[in-house]
Amino acid sequence: MTREEARAHLDRVLAAAGPRELEASIGGGENFLTRFANNEITQNVAERRYVLSVRVARGKRSGRATGNDWSDAEQW
């Protein structure tokens, strides 16, 4: 994920939260795995996984949600 993509996601979260106290973070990265057997590559895997975590506070109460669905579905 580029810095610009991350910023666009965080801007959407801020816009949806309105005037509430909010903490949002994106974490994750890329993982690569190659398995060998008998001097040959038997499996090669590359995975990109990013997680968005949002904490919203209102008065003395707060709630946190974490997810990895980056679709544009308007479910919040």
Side-chain angles (χ1 to χ4, degrees):
M1 177 179 300
T2 67
R3 182 181 206 116
E4 292 78 20
E5 290 171 329
R7 181 61 190 205
H9 287 300
L10 292 173
D11 285 343
R12 286 179 52 206
V13 170
L14 289 172
R20 295 179 182 89
E21 181 181 334
L22 177 90
E23 171 189 281
S25 64
I26 295 176
E30 299 177 346
N31 293 316
F32 302 95
L33 167 72
T34 302
R35 291 185 179 169
F36 292 87
N38 299 325
N39 293 325
E40 294 182 11
I41 295 175
T42 59
Q43 184 180 22
N44 192 18
V45 178
E47 176 185 56
R48 287 179 43 172
R49 183 167 185 260
Y50 296 95
V51 176
L52 172 66
S53 180
V54 178
R55 184 183 65 85
V56 179
R58 184 174 180 183
K60 294 184 178 183
R61 304 173 88 181
S62 69
R64 177 175 299 278
T66 302
N68 63 353
D69 182 357
W70 298 93
S71 65
D72 289 333
E74 296 293 333
Q75 298 180 7
W76 31 331

